[in-house]
Amino acid sequence: KQRLTALSQEGGGGGARGAATSDASTIAEMRQAAELVSSQPEVFNITCRLATVQTAKQGQVQPLYYMACQEPRPGSSLPCQKRVGEDGFCAACNRAGKAAPRMNIRCRF
């Protein structure tokens, strides 16, 4: 017998969506809601099986994450989120600063 394991963790990130609540949905309901334009963020709680995770793209290794700049954008409170080099330098901000991992996972459910 197979066991399902939750990939979500309580208290995780999600930015503005973190405080929102969600009801259990199907993937079809989520896709239908995605077609509607809404000014409010929506969070969906879906139980499904993970079929595959893409680890290569056109024969090249596809990393599952990259380090992203966390410095605030000029004139905004939002972080830059651009990829930083191995030395932590962000070409968009033109400085080295805070960096955090950013997930870049392509999955099929």
Side-chain angles (χ1 to χ4, degrees), residues 16-81:
R17 295 192 248 176
T21 59
S22 65
D23 293 325
S25 304
T26 65
I27 291 179
E29 291 170 340
M30 180 192 67
R31 286 181 177 157
Q32 182 180 17
E35 293 176 3
L36 304 173
V37 178
S38 174
S39 61
Q40 297 295 320
E42 293 187 47
V43 178
F44 297 91
N45 186 7
I46 299 174
T47 302
C48 61
R49 292 183 187 264
L50 178 61
T52 60
V53 176
Q54 181 178 338
T55 58
K57 188 175 183 181
Q58 297 182 347
Q60 300 289 323
V61 173
Q62 180 77 16
L64 300 179
Y65 69 94
Y66 63 91
M67 296 304 287
C69 177
Q70 297 300 299
E71 295 293 329
R73 292 185 205 167
S76 173
S77 62
L78 298 174
C80 172
Q81 296 290 5

